[in-house]
Amino acid sequence: MFVFSSRNVILPSPDGSRAFPVSRGFVGEIPDWAADTDYFRALVKDGKISLPASHKDRDVEAAQKKRRKGD
């Protein structure tokens, strides 16, 4: 899954066996298991992690601007 993170977070796996650190300003792919938690869904809902429509710079920039307007 392709994401943009505006915060430093650690995404735990659903079973707690591993974690995936995501730094502030991270733009890229995360493992599918990292997105399969209530914590990840809460981060998306709060706008701390954005899910750009595509990998294109324009879409990533739009997700960043949308996040900034919500601050």
Side-chain angles (χ1 to χ4, degrees):
M1 177 175 289
F2 189 76
V3 301
F4 165 73
S5 178
S6 61
R7 301 286 169 95
N8 291 324
V9 295
I10 297 175
L11 302 172
S13 66
D15 63 4
S17 65
R18 56 190 161 183
F20 186 80
V22 180
S23 60
R24 182 177 189 207
F26 175 83
V27 177
E29 294 286 332
I30 63 168
D32 289 335
W33 58 261
D36 193 27
T37 62
D38 290 335
Y39 179 59
F40 178 81
R41 288 186 278 281
L43 290 169
V44 171
K45 185 177 179 183
D46 290 344
K48 294 177 176 115
I49 290 183
S50 301
L51 306 174
S54 73
H55 297 95
K56 294 180 182 178
D57 287 343
R58 181 178 12 180
D59 294 328
V60 172
E61 288 175 16
Q64 289 173 336
K65 287 180 184 177
K66 183 179 177 184
R67 168 65 184 121
R68 280 188 227 131
K69 287 182 180 178
D71 280 343

